[in-house]
Amino acid sequence: MITIGQLAKYVGVSIKTIRVYHDKGLLPEPDRDVSGYRRYDAKDAIDLIKIRTLAEAGVPLARIRDLRSATGEEFQQALREIDDELTASIRGLQATQVRLRELAAGHLAPLPTEVGAHLEHLARWGFTPRWVDLQRDLWILVFATYPDRAITLFHDQAETLANPALRQLFLDYDQAHDLDADDPRIDGLARRIVKATREHYGPDELPELDAASEIPALIQGTVNASSPAWRRLDTLIRAQLEA
Amino acid sequence: MITIGQLAKYVGVSIKTIRVYHDKGLLPEPDRDVSGYRRYDAKDAIDLIKIRTLAEAGVPLARIRDLRSATGEEFQQALREIDDELTASIRGLQATQVRLRELAAGHLAPLPTEVGAHLEHLARWGFTPRWVDLQRDLWILVFATYPDRAITLFHDQAETLANPALRQLFLDYDQAHDLDADDPRIDGLARRIVKATREHYGPDELPELDAASEIPALIQGTVNASSPAWRRLDTLIRAQLEA
DNA sequence: ACTTGACCTTTCCCCTGGGGCAGGGTTGCA
DNA sequence: TGCAACCCTGCCCCAGGGGAAAGGTCAAGT
C-alpha cells in the first residue's frame, strides 16, 4: 500500500493532480491509514494510467469521469470518437504549422514595392492623402487575406487607373467625400460609375461585385463610416447594379 | 474605421477574444469614437491575424505579447522555436493516439488466463493469500506497463517457481513477513537467495536486478512497507548483490 | 529522547484563454 | 418612436492545475 507521493512519482503526475482527480470523481478516494494518509494499490495505479492516457488525448475530465460508468461497448465507441478528435486536432496543428511557415517566409512584408510605387502615383495624380491611406489599408488587407490572388487584382486595378477617363471617376469619388449627402452631383457620379462598370464587364457578369464581397467588406465599411456622402454613393451604386 | 464586431467577424474570432487581447497587451487599444466604441483599421486586422496564427500554434499569449517588441531576427528565431514545439506536440499527440489504440485493443483486460491459473497454483503450493494478492498486483502492473514484454517475464517467473528448490526460497520469503526484523533466519535466507540468483544468472549479468528497476519500484515499496522483516531482507539482498 | 527533513493533510487564492451574463448606452432602420 | 442589433464595463464561471499556508506524521541520525 503506497502513499500518494509514490503513486504520483510512479505514474508521472503531481500529487496535486491526483487530488484533483479525487475531487472530480475520476479516481475513487482510497482508504486512509491510521494517520489519515491515502493508501493506494496497483489497481489505482493502472486506473490512473488510463485516466492520464485519456487526459493527454485532450479529453475533458468530466467526460473521463462519465466513461468510468460506461459499458464496454460504450467505452469502445467513446474511444473511437476520441481517436477521431485526436486525428482532427493533429490535422489542425499541421495546418497551423503551414501558416506559421508562411508567416516566417515573409508574408509579413507589408507590401510589394510595385504597390508602394502605385500609391505614390496616386498622390501625383491628385488623389487626397485620405484616399491614398485608404488604398494602402485596402492592399495590406488584400495581400494578407488572398496572398496568391492579390497581385492579379492589383494589376487589374492599376490598369484601370492608367485610363484617364476611369481615373477621373475615382478622383470624383475621392472628392465626393466632403459633399453633402443630398448633393445632386452624387447621383450623377453614381450613374457614371455604374455605366463604366457595365461597359467594362458587360451586362451579365459583374466580377467587381463578387470581388467586392470577397475583398473585405472591412474597407467598404471604413469608407462608408467616414462620410455620409460616400455612404449614399455606395447605396446608389449597389441599388443600380442590382437592378 | 470598423467596429469590434466587424473586426471579430472578419478575422474569425469572438469580440471577447479581442477585448482579452487588449487587456493582455497583445493588441493595443485603438482610439474610441464619440460614443466610446473602439474603432479599428486595417493594420489592426493584420496584427490580429498574426496573433491568431501564433495563438493557434499554442503559443501562450504572454509570449506573443513579448514578441511584439522583438526585432526581425529575434522574431524569426522565435518562429523557428515555435515551429519545433509544434512539431513536438504533434508527435506527442500521435504517441497518445497510439496508446489510446492500445487501450482500445484490449490492454484493459485485467490479466491473461494463464496468469490467473498461476496465481491459483500459488495458493495450492502453500503461499499465503497476502503473497498471492501481492503477486496479482505486480502482474497487473507489469502487464499494464510493459504489455509486450510482460508475458516473457511471466513465463520466466513461472518456470522458476516450477523448480521446487527455488519455490522454497519464495515460500520462505513469504513466511519471513512475520519474523522480527533482527531474526537471524533473515540473514540466512538473504544469503540463500543471493546464491541462487548468482547461480541462475552467472556472476556477470544480473538481469533480475535490471528487470527489478524497470518493473515498478511500486511493488517493492509495498513489500517493504508492510513488514520490517521484508524491508531488512530487501536491504540485505541488495547489499550482497552489489558487493 | 530529540531534532531534522521529508512527507502528508487541508484550505485558499492564482494563472491562462476565454464564455456568458447583467445592466446599461448607442446606432441604424422603418 | 420603437425595435433590433450593436457596443460598453464588470463580474463570475470553466479546466487543469501551481503554489503557499499551517499543521500532522514518519524515519533516520544523534
Side-chain angles (χ1 to χ4, degrees):
Chain A
M1 302 299 275
I2 55 165
T3 65
I4 195 171
Q6 291 171 279
L7 176 63
K9 197 168 168 191
Y10 171 63
V11 179
V13 300
S14 70
I15 290 177
K16 180 68 171 235
T17 299
I18 294 174
R19 291 205 274 242
V20 168
Y21 292 171
H22 288 321
D23 290 350
K24 313 231 161 164
L26 282 135
L27 194 64
E29 281 276 2
D31 295 336
R32 309 292 183 111
D33 65 16
V34 285
S35 56
Y37 289 10
R38 295 179 178 86
R39 290 293 175 168
Y40 299 88
D41 59 24
K43 173 100 178 25
D44 295 313
I46 64 171
D47 280 357
L48 186 51
I49 288 171
K50 286 186 199 170
I51 291 170
R52 285 306 299 173
T53 301
L54 294 171
E56 280 161 26
V59 181
L61 300 195
R63 191 162 157 204
I64 298 176
R65 182 193 54 222
D66 297 343
L67 246 44
R68 253 173 36 86
S69 60
T71 68
E73 187 41 51
E74 289 168 347
F75 188 73
Q76 291 293 326
Q77 177 60 31
L79 284 184
R80 278 191 292 274
E81 286 172 21
I82 291 162
D83 194 290
D84 290 347
E85 290 164 20
L86 210 44
T87 300
S89 76
I90 289 171
R91 295 267 174 285
L93 284 185
Q94 286 169 339
T96 298
Q97 198 169 32
V98 167
R99 283 198 292 148
L100 198 64
R101 284 173 186 171
E102 281 174 6
L103 198 75
H107 283 302
L108 345 98
L111 279 179
T113 51
E114 57 181 318
V115 180
H118 170 75
L119 290 171
E120 286 177 26
H121 263 294
L122 289 181
R124 274 183 279 145
W125 277 331
F127 287 95
T128 62
R130 176 193 58 222
W131 184 267
V132 176
D133 288 346
L134 218 48
Q135 291 294 309
R136 187 189 328 275
D137 276 2
L138 184 145
W139 289 116
I140 286 176
L141 258 182
V142 172
F143 275 90
T145 318
Y146 311 103
D148 46 344
R149 293 162 47 200
I151 196 68
T152 307
L153 288 168
F154 171 74
H155 286 151
D156 201 48
Q157 175 74 359
E159 207 173 306
T160 301
L161 283 175
N163 175 332
L166 293 174
R167 183 163 72 236
Q168 189 56 50
L169 287 178
F170 284 96
L171 280 163
D172 290 346
Y173 201 128
D174 183 9
Q175 294 299 328
H177 178 273
D178 301 318
L179 297 179
D180 280 341
D182 52 1
D183 192 303
R185 282 172 289 181
I186 291 175
D187 301 70
L189 178 56
R191 272 192 298 273
R192 280 186 289 139
I193 288 176
V194 168
K195 181 156 166 286
T197 303
R198 291 212 192 278
E199 281 170 8
H200 193 61
Y201 291 108
D204 291 338
E205 36 173 4
L206 294 171
E208 239 185 285
L209 251 196
D210 287 351
S213 65
E214 279 186 30
I215 288 175
L218 192 52
I219 286 296
Q220 194 61 49
T222 307
V223 165
N224 289 344
S226 68
S227 153
W230 275 0
R231 195 154 54 235
R232 179 157 151 68
L233 195 48
D234 182 45
T235 306
L236 287 173
I237 292 172
R238 284 174 192 279
Q240 294 180 33
L241 279 179
E242 284 170 12
Chain B
M1 303 298 275
I2 56 166
T3 65
I4 195 170
Q6 292 170 277
L7 176 64
K9 197 169 167 188
Y10 172 64
V11 178
V13 300
S14 71
I15 291 177
K16 180 68 170 237
T17 298
I18 295 174
R19 290 205 272 242
V20 167
Y21 291 172
H22 289 321
D23 289 349
K24 313 232 160 160
L26 280 136
L27 194 63
E29 281 276 2
D31 294 337
R32 309 293 182 113
D33 65 16
V34 285
S35 57
Y37 290 8
R38 294 178 179 87
R39 291 291 176 170
Y40 298 88
D41 60 24
K43 173 105 177 21
D44 294 315
I46 63 171
D47 281 356
L48 186 51
I49 288 170
K50 286 186 198 169
I51 291 169
R52 283 308 297 174
T53 301
L54 293 171
E56 280 161 25
V59 181
L61 300 194
R63 190 163 158 202
I64 298 176
R65 181 194 55 221
D66 297 343
L67 245 44
R68 253 173 36 86
S69 58
T71 68
E73 187 42 50
E74 289 168 349
F75 187 74
Q76 290 294 326
Q77 177 61 32
L79 284 184
R80 278 190 292 275
E81 285 171 21
I82 291 161
D83 195 291
D84 291 346
E85 290 163 19
L86 209 43
T87 300
S89 76
I90 289 172
R91 295 268 174 283
L93 284 185
Q94 285 168 340
T96 297
Q97 199 169 32
V98 167
R99 283 198 291 148
L100 199 62
R101 286 173 185 170
E102 282 173 5
L103 200 71
H107 283 305
L108 346 96
L111 278 180
T113 51
E114 58 181 320
V115 180
H118 170 75
L119 291 171
E120 287 178 24
H121 261 296
L122 290 182
R124 273 183 280 145
W125 278 332
F127 286 95
T128 62
R130 175 193 59 223
W131 183 267
V132 176
D133 288 346
L134 217 49
Q135 291 294 309
R136 187 188 329 276
D137 276 3
L138 183 145
W139 289 114
I140 287 176
L141 260 181
V142 172
F143 275 89
T145 317
Y146 310 104
D148 47 342
R149 293 163 45 202
I151 196 68
T152 307
L153 288 169
F154 171 73
H155 286 151
D156 202 47
Q157 175 73 1
E159 208 175 307
T160 300
L161 283 175
N163 175 332
L166 293 175
R167 183 164 72 235
Q168 188 57 48
L169 285 179
F170 284 94
L171 280 164
D172 290 347
Y173 201 127
D174 183 8
Q175 294 299 328
H177 178 273
D178 300 317
L179 298 178
D180 279 342
D182 52 0
D183 191 304
R185 282 172 288 181
I186 292 175
D187 301 71
L189 177 57
R191 271 192 297 274
R192 280 187 290 141
I193 289 175
V194 168
K195 183 157 165 283
T197 304
R198 290 212 193 278
E199 280 171 7
H200 193 62
Y201 292 107
D204 292 338
E205 34 173 5
L206 294 171
E208 241 185 283
L209 252 196
D210 286 352
S213 65
E214 281 187 26
I215 290 175
L218 189 53
I219 287 297
Q220 193 61 51
T222 306
V223 165
N224 289 345
S226 67
S227 153
W230 276 359
R231 196 153 56 238
R232 180 156 151 68
L233 196 47
D234 182 46
T235 306
L236 287 173
I237 293 171
R238 284 174 192 279
Q240 294 180 34
L241 281 179
E242 284 169 14

